[in-house]
Amino acid sequence: MGKTEGQKLEEKLCFKPKHIAKDHPKEIEKAIEFAEGYKTFLDHSKIERECVQYSVAMAEKAGYKPFGRGIKGKSGDKFYYVNRGKNLFLVTLGKKPLNEGIHFNIAHIDSPRIDLKPNPLYETEELAYFKTHYYGGIKKYQWATIPLALHGRIMTAEGKAIDLDFGEKEGDPVLVITDLLPHLGRSQGERKLSEGIKGEELNVLLGSLPVEDTEVKEAFKLKILSILHDQYGITEKDFMRSELTLVPAQKAVDVGLDNSMVGAYGQDDKVCAYTALMAELESKNPEYTSLTALVDKEEIGSTGNTGMESDALLHFIEDLAECEGERVRDILRNSLCLSSDVNAAYDPTFSDVYEKQNSSFFNHGPVLTKYTGVRGKGGSNDASAETMQKVIGYMEEAGVPWQIGELGKVDEGGGGTIAMFMGNMDVDTVDLGVAVLSMHAPFELTAKLDVYYTYKAFLAFNK
């Protein structure tokens, strides 16, 4: 039986994103295979420095060369630049001159976590602890009683860098934040959920043994210092010259009896970083120069000289422009940027905070987010109609399924991305990324088909 006139009209006029597995079942195995590389990337990129180091190794293997001022390149040449160990800018020179614009793809590689305070080590009641200060928007109670690993860098007085990766290797002990047993938790249970565990209660248990000297006043603290000194050659003063952080010790894993999802820490926003990186590495003689930037500090407002509020990326563009004798303002006003960040996937368990018609769903493809912001679009970029038309056109021309998304109901909250910083640079910008469940939790979820098709969307954009 053929379609009715009404069904034909509905097909012609209405838009409804489709489940990728229903329309493209043969792509499932490709998505599962692509996710294997993604999981490995996550396991080697728990913090920004590690992500940059791992990505640089991939870039060099793909033929990228270090960028320096005055370098003259031709179409198809590939360069990279590292800013302070926490930003990575990757460029593939295009066929068109720079003054016709750059195709930017920018993702952040920092994630919510637990940082150590500058002077963290103490003992109390014959136990040794670290004091901490959480980083980014977290639900603090989620970080208690899970295995934690210690990552980061310490600089010695002599200027030597010591990188820590403790709790990840097979056989490594892990660290933990304790919680109160339910038998004694009546008063704690009467707290607001946001205060179930308070900031100053996020103390990390390190050890319970003293040094063998009864004359030492802080024998349990000293035991931990002696272990750290034996392993890394550091003293307590070296903590003041460090960047140390605690992240979940668990590795990325498959989730679901159908093997359809990835579960891991830090998928916001390393899922977009990885898909953008892979698309950049595979870019061959693009029409427009592609510039993929992996940046820091998004979770705390993009501040500092490795965040998007700094001029680091602008200075890099100025150096590119200088190589070709072009004006930066011409390049920027003709450019197009994907602020590649995640959106909140619709969660049926908590459906009351979502507006379903403008929510993103698992397995419906990359999410195009016209604006973010808080309530009245505060702190948003709000992409223009022309920008939406261009980006949608790239995806549809490449046959990439996509969906539209908004971050929950208008008055429920909201959030921001780096899009507004590129918009402030006079660049047409829109958010495009992956839908995530349990965002900002120590264990986040993504759908493998969405990850794979976001990569394909970025490939189309780079071409």
Side-chain angles (χ1 to χ4, degrees):
M1 182 178 177
K3 295 180 180 178
T4 67
E5 291 303 313
Q7 288 174 323
K8 292 177 182 177
L9 189 64
E10 182 182 46
E11 189 175 271
K12 179 181 178 180
L13 299 182
C14 296
F15 171 74
K16 185 178 181 180
K18 297 179 180 179
H19 196 289
I20 297 173
K22 295 179 179 179
D23 275 20
H24 306 279
K26 294 181 180 180
E27 299 292 275
I28 296 173
E29 287 305 315
K30 293 179 183 177
I32 290 173
E33 182 180 355
F34 185 80
E36 291 304 304
Y38 172 49
K39 289 187 296 181
T40 301
F41 175 82
L42 288 171
D43 290 342
H44 289 85
S45 305
K46 291 285 184 77
I47 61 173
E48 304 91 313
R49 289 184 188 275
E50 295 168 355
C51 186
V52 168
Q53 291 166 3
Y54 192 78
S55 299
V56 166
M58 293 177 67
E60 289 180 338
K61 189 175 181 180
Y64 285 74
K65 305 296 182 184
F67 176 81
R69 295 182 65 183
I71 286 179
K72 297 289 184 181
K74 62 183 184 301
S75 176
D77 284 353
K78 293 174 173 285
F79 301 100
Y80 74 87
Y81 175 78
V82 176
N83 174 36
R84 295 173 170 88
K86 298 181 182 180
N87 296 158
L88 177 60
F89 306 148
L90 298 154
V91 175
T92 302
L93 297 180
K95 298 174 184 177
K96 295 181 181 291
L98 277 179
N99 64 5
E100 292 194 35
I102 292 172
H103 275 198
F104 292 95
N105 194 338
I106 306 180
H108 69 89
I109 52 176
D110 62 315
S111 300
R113 60 184 190 239
I114 308 291
D115 287 346
L116 297 195
K117 288 189 176 184
N119 185 22
L121 185 58
Y122 74 102
E123 75 166 65
T124 181
E125 304 304 329
E126 300 181 332
L127 296 172
Y129 289 91
F130 276 147
K131 289 185 176 292
T132 69
H133 193 134
Y134 60 91
Y135 173 99
I138 68 170
K139 289 182 175 179
K140 295 185 283 292
Y141 68 85
Q142 294 179 331
W143 288 78
T145 72
I146 64 171
L148 299 173
L150 182 65
H151 289 243
R153 170 167 289 185
I154 296 174
M155 296 299 298
T156 67
E158 298 74 30
K160 177 186 176 183
I162 300 172
D163 290 324
L164 273 66
D165 178 3
F166 181 83
E168 298 284 1
K169 302 179 186 67
E170 188 71 28
D172 273 0
V174 297
L175 307 178
V176 69
I177 297 167
T178 60
D179 195 5
L180 194 59
L181 67 163
H183 308 73
L184 299 177
R186 184 182 61 82
S187 295
Q188 183 192 38
E190 293 173 356
R191 297 179 183 180
K192 294 190 301 183
L193 185 62
S194 61
E195 297 179 355
I197 297 286
K198 298 179 181 179
E200 294 296 345
E201 294 170 343
L202 292 169
N203 300 315
V204 181
L205 183 60
L206 303 174
S208 62
L209 298 176
V211 294
E212 295 180 1
D213 188 335
T214 57
E215 300 302 313
V216 173
K217 291 184 178 179
E218 294 184 304
F220 296 85
K221 171 182 171 180
L222 188 59
K223 178 69 172 181
I224 298 302
L225 280 172
S226 67
I227 293 170
L228 291 171
H229 186 266
D230 289 344
Q231 291 191 16
Y232 304 106
I234 62 174
T235 68
E236 186 172 20
K237 189 184 293 185
D238 290 319
F239 283 113
M240 287 67 159
R241 292 184 289 261
S242 72
E243 294 174 329
L244 294 175
T245 189
L246 290 144
V247 297
Q250 182 172 358
K251 296 186 181 301
V253 295
D254 298 321
V255 174
L257 295 179
D258 56 3
N259 196 30
S260 64
M261 295 166 285
V262 173
Y265 163 73
Q267 297 199 73
D268 174 13
D269 184 38
K270 295 184 186 77
V271 64
C272 294
Y274 180 74
T275 48
L277 174 65
M278 293 301 293
E280 171 63 42
L281 297 184
E282 295 179 28
S283 184
K284 310 292 184 186
N285 296 310
E287 288 296 313
Y288 295 91
T289 292
S290 64
L291 197 165
T292 298
L294 308 183
V295 299
D296 184 23
K297 296 291 191 292
E298 193 273 349
E299 297 295 357
I300 58 171
S302 296
T303 58
N305 56 15
T306 56
M308 278 300 294
E309 275 207 86
S310 80
D311 287 335
L313 179 59
L314 177 60
H315 292 163
F316 180 71
I317 299 165
E318 289 172 344
D319 289 341
L320 281 177
E322 190 177 89
C323 292
E324 293 196 11
E326 301 289 357
R327 296 196 308 174
V328 173
R329 68 182 66 175
D330 295 332
I331 296 172
L332 293 175
R333 73 164 58 101
N334 292 322
S335 292
L336 183 61
C337 175
L338 297 182
S339 167
S340 299
D341 207 344
V342 299
N343 204 322
Y346 184 85
D347 190 335
T349 303
F350 303 102
S351 59
D352 56 318
V353 297
Y354 295 87
E355 194 271 282
K356 192 172 181 180
Q357 184 169 317
N358 287 283
S359 293
S360 53
F361 292 80
F362 265 18
N363 294 307
H364 287 185
V367 186
L368 193 59
T369 306
K370 186 178 187 296
Y371 51 81
T372 53
V374 179
R375 296 179 177 88
K377 298 186 180 180
S380 175
N381 168 68
D382 204 355
S384 68
E386 292 84 352
T387 301
M388 297 290 284
Q389 182 271 328
K390 288 178 184 177
V391 175
I392 290 171
Y394 285 129
M395 288 191 286
E396 294 195 336
E397 184 178 350
V400 175
W402 58 277
Q403 57 182 320
I404 206 75
E406 189 178 50
L407 198 59
K409 287 182 177 178
V410 175
D411 286 334
E412 281 294 336
T417 67
I418 59 177
M420 63 178 175
F421 302 111
M422 289 303 291
N424 291 343
M425 290 170 64
D426 195 22
V427 176
D428 289 329
T429 306
V430 67
D431 280 279
L432 184 69
V434 177
V436 175
L437 280 173
S438 301
M439 190 192 299
H440 281 211
F443 189 78
E444 299 171 311
L445 298 172
T446 56
K448 293 180 180 180
L449 280 167
D450 292 335
V451 177
Y452 179 62
Y453 269 93
T454 299
Y455 152 74
K456 294 187 77 169
F458 294 160
L459 273 180
F461 180 71
N462 284 354
K463 288 179 182 179

